[in-house]
Amino acid sequence: MIPDKAPGEDVLHASGDLKKGAHVPSFEKYKELYVKSIESPEEFWGDFAKDFFWKTKYTGKFLDYNFDVTKGAIYVKCMEGALTNICYNVLDRNVHDRKLGDKVAFYWEGNEPGDEKTVTYRELLQRVCKFANVLKSQGVKKGDRVSIYMPMVVELVEAMLACARIGAVHSIVFAGFSSESLCERIMDSRCSLLITADGFYRGDKLINLKLIADEALEKCRDKSFPVEKCIMLKHLTKEDESTVHGSLSPPAKRACSDLQVPWNPEVDMCWHSLVCGVSEECEPVWCDSEDPLFILYTSGSTGKPKGVLHTVSGYMLYTAATFKMVFDYHPDDVYWCTADIGWITGHSYITYGPLANGATSVLFEGLPTYPDVSRMWEIVDKYHVSKFYTAPTAIRLLMKFGSEPVQKYKRDSLKILGTVGEPINPEAWQWYYNVVGEKRCPVVDTFWQTETGGHVMTPLPAATPMKPGSATFPFFGVVPAILNESGEELDGPSEGYLVFKQPWPGVMRTVYGNHQRFETTYFKKFPGYYVTGDGCRRDKDGYYWITGRIDDMLNVSGHLLSTAEVESALVEHEAVAEAAVVGRPHLVKGESLYCFVTLNDGISYNQKLEAELKKQVRVKIGAIATPDFIQNAPGLPKTRSGKIMRRVLRKIACNERDLGDVSTLADSSVIDQLFENRCCTGV
Ligand code: PRX
């Protein structure tokens, strides 16, 4: 499956310098370790597990599982029976056993240049313990779910680790989501407490976070799910209190007279007052390997988000191992992942993976374009970042401004570049490699998902010859296959469904509260395999190329959205009878939302309605889901059985006249009308 020898032609190789001292210095070494990871998983993962602290050893098999729905319920268990604590392993172990107390865990860089703060491992441990004690005093116990809705501040990491310390399950909701989305996630996970902040700036835009959080709690109340506890961090509010009680993120330098902080004394509590005077010691709660660690919601094709559940030990081992190998982590590195902790990338590669390795990271609150398009490179130079991880959408955005804003800064500290979130087009890859990395830094194109917990298909920087746009080969323990529509495994060069044949420690365990949905979504279509939902091509050299989603999902700026989710937001508007949403290629975002709406009788389409519909989606889901195009569609192309032919709509959105086979279309007259009504004529 993996070629015996890496191809020598048409590929880019890491420099000799990088190979020296690399964890995996050659393709041969990668092959050897890969075989070990498959044939002797216990031994392979045992090499990583021995670095961690285990209160008791595991009792059964290292990895126990059933991946075949025809043989019974799907399950995956890793090191079941062992007791440990992930917070202890990423903090106490580093401070006490590895003597890294004075090492910087995070350089926090605020939205506004000059807003900065450094936190060491020792300080982080003390702060986490304090906050864990606060949670305990609020009655939070092992197994309880806690929702976190916060900007990119160190306290967000504190809140998640404090939950992990006491065995509570965190459910972080990206701070760009709407109150409706937050409410839905709080209710689905049955959270008893919400942690939020007063507000924050994204570029020069003020986000009144507490206001949105309050709206969400109000909606929960209306739906008979009252959450009576809300802890609010004062991030923007300039008050003596925050200095007295030691807010880690200093108040932003911008004036914030527009900040709205509603306060309900029955429910709301101030973070700073709560931690004041609380002990800096908190005994961790020892958890079973298979106890839940967190829930993170990801879009589902039915429109209802799925609560992806990860458990303690497998996730800990996997994020630690992938971080170490894929970024070839060494103790003197300064690592920066630009993702938001509200997404899985931030969970695995800002918090757990880097901290498990005792790494120093940059934690950035701002935007790549604020105050100008050099911001990223300024930060790279400021902190001497050596490993840099970002999304193709950010690369494409910055590429538009040419090389000059990049070259204003030296970037000579950079050693490895990474991408994640969507397929990277070779042009963007080349720009990243040539301009940002000056042909010196390998690019690791890491393919993975919220569900996979960590990287599953990825180059290893010193070992894997790179092909721009290919996620190359599987990570250790991962066995990919490409299936055709009939579920047959394809050999050699081929294209089809990307699936995995067996679990790895970091794979999700269930959909929270709905195991059946877990089985149906990932295991039913092809029994015996985990189905990613992505298409994939394998070339003549055995390299894997992810071709994008093949289900009803869209990837807008690296964020997954389901067409059903957007459609249901649109049809909630009283003017809309039916909606169909498709992706349209976009130069920066990868894909943009193109929505077709059929209006109720008697309603005419106009700009005001269009603006209302866009707002409707933004309010229901969040700004990331704002449609780029809305088209009035008096009729939609449907099969005789009534199924909307999205394939045809995708072509119409792109103004492609060759529609392929349309013999199943019930009424072909709608097609001309749809082309006539296109809302972006000429594009
Ligand atoms: O379609 C794939 C795409 O992002 C999806 C997973 O999205 P999410 O769960 O939000 O996690 C994103 C961060 C891990 C995948 O099913 N995707 C992610 N990385 C890549 C990618 N597509 C191609 N190449 C990648 N490197």
Side-chain angles (χ1 to χ4, degrees), residues 326-450:
V326 174
F327 298 111
D328 193 35
Y329 169 71
H330 290 278
D332 55 352
D333 276 327
V334 177
Y335 162 83
W336 180 20
C337 166
T338 67
D340 193 289
I341 293 180
W343 306 110
I344 191 69
T345 307
H347 281 60
S348 300
Y349 299 113
I350 294 181
T351 301
Y352 291 109
L355 293 179
N357 281 276
T360 295
S361 300
V362 174
L363 180 63
F364 179 46
E365 185 195 20
L367 292 177
T369 49
Y370 181 83
D372 60 51
V373 293
S374 287
R375 184 74 191 274
M376 303 263 241
W377 323 120
E378 182 195 342
I379 296 174
V380 165
D381 270 7
K382 177 173 173 183
Y383 297 106
H384 306 289
V385 171
S386 51
K387 310 285 163 78
F388 179 72
Y389 193 30
T390 196
T393 184
I395 299 167
R396 288 193 298 262
L397 174 70
L398 296 176
M399 214 172 114
K400 285 203 308 189
F401 300 94
S403 49
E404 194 259 339
V406 186
Q407 285 159 353
K408 259 171 79 180
Y409 294 90
K410 291 201 303 287
R411 293 158 288 111
D412 52 2
S413 53
L414 285 175
K415 289 186 181 152
I416 290 167
L417 303 173
T419 73
V420 57
E422 57 184 307
I424 180 162
N425 47 313
E427 194 195 354
W429 194 102
Q430 292 287 3
W431 187 82
Y432 198 30
Y433 181 75
N434 292 329
V435 178
V436 176
E438 297 175 312
K439 303 185 181 180
R440 196 180 64 239
C441 312
V443 174
V444 286
D445 175 357
T446 61
F447 167 81
W448 59 295
Q449 308 176 303
T450 306

Side-chain angles (χ1 to χ4, degrees), residues 205-266:
K205 189 163 170 238
L206 173 66
I207 314 290
N208 279 297
L209 201 65
K210 176 65 163 55
L211 197 67
I212 309 170
D214 273 19
E215 280 169 17
L217 294 187
E218 197 53 52
K219 289 183 171 125
C220 290
R221 234 164 265 137
D222 289 350
K223 295 177 182 170
S224 307
F225 189 81
V227 175
E228 301 302 357
K229 290 182 176 170
C230 175
I231 300 179
M232 188 199 79
L233 175 82
K234 287 181 176 174
H235 175 47
L236 289 186
T237 331
K238 288 184 188 181
E239 250 190 43
D240 287 350
E241 210 179 0
S242 44
T243 21
V244 173
H245 301 315
S247 166
L248 253 178
S249 332
K253 291 198 166 161
R254 299 180 64 93
C256 45
S257 50
D258 291 338
L259 183 66
Q260 294 177 44
V261 187
W263 194 259
N264 174 356
E266 306 272 297

